Amino acid sequence: MPSTPGQLKSLTDPVVTVVRSPACHLCDAALDTLDRLRERTPLRLRVLEARSDEGQQLVAEHRAAMSPLVLLDGEFVSSGRLRTGRLLDLLRQRGADVPLTAVR
């Protein structure tokens, strides 16, 4: 079966978790990028506050020095400025056909 750009080969959409802090411009930029990416490929987005119990647990577990902490299916992607290249590489490893222009 030929793949369509942005189509996943698996049945479950990947989950991107963003642990954000209040008044965080890097958090806002990451969420903007992820919104553009969601227009091109199916994925679920979870946004957690860094002060929440789950947010604190994830920050401690992944030793995130800066916000936002971004995870893909629980796997560390970045802390601080979103590493879009790494995120796209991880999505491609999961079967997504996502061009770099999806986040530009």
Side-chain angles (χ1 to χ4, degrees), residues 22-90:
C24 169
H25 72 281
L26 292 176
C27 301
D28 295 337
L31 290 170
D32 289 344
T33 299
L34 291 167
D35 282 339
R36 286 193 306 279
L37 181 59
R38 289 172 66 193
E39 293 172 3
R40 301 289 297 270
T41 191
L43 59 88
R44 292 184 295 153
L45 182 61
R46 292 182 64 222
V47 180
L48 302 171
E49 294 300 323
R51 294 180 181 170
S52 70
D53 290 342
E54 186 177 1
Q56 289 178 12
Q57 177 186 2
L58 290 172
V59 167
E61 179 182 333
H62 294 280
R63 298 180 181 187
M66 295 180 65
S67 291
L69 168 62
V70 180
L71 308 172
L72 177 62
D73 294 333
E75 182 178 346
F76 180 85
V77 174
S78 62
S79 170
R81 186 173 308 278
L82 176 61
R83 295 176 53 197
T84 55
R86 176 168 165 72
L87 176 60
L88 293 178
D89 287 345
L90 292 170

